[in-house]
Amino acid sequence: MRRFLGYYRQFEELSPEEVSRDLRRRRDEEKAQSLTETPALDLSSPAWHEPPHAEIVNAATFALRRAVNAYPDAGAEALSAALAARHGVEPAQVVAGHGAGELLRAALQALLAGAGNELDPHPPTVAIAWPGWGPLPRLVHEAGGRPVPVPLGRDGAADVDALAAAAGAGGDGVRAVALCSPNDPTGGTIDAAALRRLAAALPAGAWILLDAALADFEEPGADLAALTGELDRLLVVRSFSKAHAMAGFRAGYAIGPEGSREFLARLAPALGASAPAQAGMTWAVANGERYLPRRRALAASEREHLAAALAGTDLAFPPGTGPLLWLSSAGLGGRELAAELAAKRIFVAPGTAWGDDRHVRVALRGPGATDRLAAALKELAAG
Amino acid sequence: MPRNDPTDTGGLFIGRRPGTAPLRYKADPERAGERRRRTDALLAAAVLALEALVCLTLWGPQPIAWLWIGSQVDYHGGSITLALAVTFFGMLGTLMITLGIATRLDRVWRILRRAAGHEQQEGVLPRIFAVTAIVALVLFSIWFVIIEGPAPMLAPR
């Protein structure tokens, strides 16, 4: 009988009091654990550490709720018009896509079209300011080209003269030079004069692929996209993943010169960017100045904060713009530095990902994270 | 504490809507075979019928019984006040006892339904209570208006 009743008792639900008691016990355990455990601090991802502005999520959610069953506007006309107005170019010069990375991939595929024969002893080349955006050499290989790394200048920015020299040495085989400004991972920037100098020195037919994914951390006056009206082989690629904190949307755009409509059409996704991404980007373009100044200021102040904290140690990084910095130690290699920081539950990207064993890339967050990083680095430097 | 107001979360709901919490048991129940579950389903149906019968007694047999007891108290005790008090409090007492029995039957029904393989969250007592009240009201109206007819003082003699 007891067994018979026991079978049915197992189907009795817990009372709300019992459920609450269990949840309270679990919460107390987690709180007790959090007091004894050091939380992980992930400074390895270049994505902005905060969520996007709530209105961006609102706009994307509204777009989804309105017509998730319908195809998005393939031409992204409203978005292109807003982007064109922002950069002072024609809407036909703008193409929206699935993030800066995908646009760069498409641009390389278009520029290196016809290449890709592995037996070809002289594949077309792309000179890349290096270290730069990590996946770029792989994308060049995938498109059938050969990446030619060109070291950065001492200021951590692309060395346009060295790039021009590398492109000149490559002759007709050079299809493009690719550079990042502000540079990922160093934060170095180039100005309009340097870009004009580079354009003037390039062989005929070679393009400049300017990865400006971090450009929203620069003051609006430093925008290089306007040069597309002047330089006929300049493609500027921008992202919403960094300062707009929209990495999950996969949203970006490219601006090309006037008269490059055919080339830009090859960069566009076949059926356009997704409806929520278009809606989020459109809101961000129109209203970005509500929050971008605060993020610019935060990135700049945290760079200064860390530089001041590391003064007098053997740790240093080049000055630059944006939340990414390229940190090196006189006493430790990049791999050791990353491992020592990981032991303190601070995670940074070792420079080996860029083929460099002297540096690590750090993505800055807020003052609390910088304080913790600075304390850990000073402890390492001391001994 | 996560905020779940859509105006704070960019139009998204965070967390679960009220009343949609899953059933929680002390441990995952070990379920018996198909035959046992069919038997439990039949037992659940029988308990449901019994629960309905118990609730139906509230709307006919119990009031009639207490009216009869009240009339006996009045006849033997000669006090209409006492008869009314016995009827009122007696009715109230058996109402409480009946609801207690029905609640227990409802719990047994829920357990049998879960044993039969259903994710039975709520009992069915409020619905049975309402349905039996409506059934009793309809039956009473038929009896009062159609079978018994208008009151003698209105009807022609």
Side-chain angles (χ1 to χ4, degrees):
Chain A
M1 187 65 180
R2 184 176 294 176
R3 198 170 154 199
F4 176 77
L5 291 177
Y7 173 74
Y8 290 105
R9 281 210 184 94
Q10 62 176 342
F11 292 102
E12 285 188 53
E13 75 270 30
L14 290 174
S15 67
E17 291 75 24
E18 286 173 305
V19 174
S20 298
R21 199 183 310 137
D22 188 42
L23 292 174
R24 272 199 299 272
R25 182 186 55 74
R26 273 169 45 192
R27 186 206 57 195
D28 290 344
E29 277 176 10
E30 283 167 8
K31 278 172 87 176
Q33 207 170 21
S34 69
L35 290 175
T36 56
E37 251 183 25
T38 310
L41 178 59
D42 185 2
L43 304 179
S44 64
S45 168
W48 188 251
H49 59 280
E50 292 170 330
H53 193 286
E55 288 293 338
I56 292 175
V57 183
N58 266 351
T61 309
F62 181 74
L64 275 176
R65 285 180 176 161
R66 186 176 52 183
V68 72
N69 57 313
Y71 285 106
D73 173 11
E77 285 178 19
L79 174 61
S80 297
L83 289 168
R86 181 189 180 194
H87 293 288
V89 298
E90 291 300 314
Q93 290 177 250
V94 181
V95 59
H98 303 316
E102 284 302 317
L103 288 161
L104 280 170
R105 180 206 289 266
L108 289 167
Q109 299 275 357
L111 292 174
L112 297 169
N117 181 354
E118 288 179 6
L119 300 176
D120 183 355
H122 303 293
T125 58
V126 176
I128 299 176
W130 199 253
W133 183 57
L136 205 49
R138 178 173 55 81
L139 297 185
V140 174
H141 274 300
E142 282 177 8
R146 182 169 62 85
V148 177
V150 177
L152 301 178
R154 286 191 171 184
D155 56 355
D159 183 342
V160 292
D161 297 321
L163 278 170
D172 292 343
V174 177
R175 298 284 174 87
V177 292
L179 63 157
C180 222
S181 179
N183 191 48
D184 173 1
T186 58
T189 57
I190 59 165
D191 57 16
L195 206 56
R196 283 193 189 99
R197 207 162 68 240
L198 175 62
L202 284 186
W207 278 73
I208 300 173
L209 303 180
L210 176 63
D211 177 357
L214 292 163
D216 283 309
F217 288 105
E218 291 185 285
E219 292 304 320
D223 184 16
L224 295 174
L227 288 181
T228 52
E230 180 184 325
L231 307 177
D232 63 355
R233 289 188 183 272
L234 169 65
L235 183 76
V236 180
V237 180
R238 301 280 296 247
S239 170
F240 284 85
S241 299
K242 307 296 193 297
H244 291 281
M246 292 169 63
F249 280 88
R250 305 313 309 126
Y253 59 99
I255 303 171
E258 288 177 35
S260 62
R261 185 174 296 199
E262 199 180 318
F263 174 60
L264 290 175
R266 295 175 71 180
L267 312 188
L271 292 175
S274 71
Q278 284 190 36
M281 283 193 274
T282 305
W283 193 92
V285 172
N287 302 281
E289 286 307 315
R290 286 196 207 175
Y291 53 84
L292 288 176
R294 186 186 70 78
R295 291 183 183 166
R296 276 182 209 124
L298 181 65
S301 69
E302 292 314 304
R303 283 188 90 95
E304 285 175 19
H305 180 177
L306 189 64
L310 299 184
T313 69
D314 66 350
L315 293 148
F317 57 87
T321 301
L324 304 179
L325 51 88
W326 195 227
L327 181 72
S328 64
S329 159
L332 288 170
R335 202 191 299 260
E336 289 81 28
L337 189 55
E340 293 286 349
L341 287 172
K344 297 176 186 299
R345 296 184 58 72
I346 299 173
F347 299 98
V348 297
T352 45
W354 287 263
D356 181 317
D357 200 27
R358 289 181 46 241
H359 292 82
V360 294
R361 188 190 66 186
V362 179
L364 294 172
R365 300 176 66 136
T370 308
D371 283 340
R372 192 172 149 198
L373 174 68
L377 289 171
K378 281 200 275 193
E379 204 177 312
L380 288 177
Chain B
M1 186 73 164
R3 305 286 299 269
N4 60 6
D5 183 339
T7 56
D8 289 334
T9 58
L12 299 175
F13 283 100
I14 292 177
R16 194 189 296 114
R17 286 166 192 264
T20 58
L23 274 175
R24 287 173 188 261
Y25 302 111
K26 277 182 186 145
D28 279 347
E30 286 178 28
R31 295 181 188 277
E34 183 62 26
R35 184 184 290 180
R36 175 83 178 260
R37 277 190 280 171
R38 274 206 298 271
T39 310
D40 287 331
L42 285 172
L43 277 172
V47 170
L48 187 68
L50 184 62
E51 205 177 322
L53 275 176
V54 167
C55 285
L56 265 176
T57 63
L58 283 171
W59 310 110
Q62 287 189 39
I64 290 168
W66 281 109
L67 284 172
W68 181 83
I69 293 168
S71 69
Q72 296 302 307
V73 171
D74 181 31
Y75 178 75
H76 292 291
S79 167
I80 187 73
T81 309
L82 180 64
L84 283 172
V86 167
T87 304
F88 178 77
F89 289 108
M91 185 66 221
L92 206 60
T94 52
L95 172 69
M96 294 300 162
I97 292 166
T98 308
L99 285 178
I101 292 167
T103 306
R104 280 165 178 73
L105 283 172
D106 203 45
R107 180 169 150 260
V108 171
W109 178 79
R110 281 201 311 268
I111 288 173
L112 285 169
R113 286 274 297 168
R114 288 170 196 159
H118 300 277
E119 184 78 356
Q120 192 65 46
Q121 299 249 8
E122 301 288 332
V124 78
L125 182 57
R127 262 180 283 175
I128 287 183
F129 196 79
V131 169
T132 53
I134 291 166
V135 168
L137 186 66
V138 169
L139 290 177
F140 176 77
S141 302
I142 290 170
W143 171 80
F144 185 73
V145 177
I146 297 170
I147 299 174
E148 196 60 20
M153 60 187 297
L154 293 177
R157 288 181 184 274

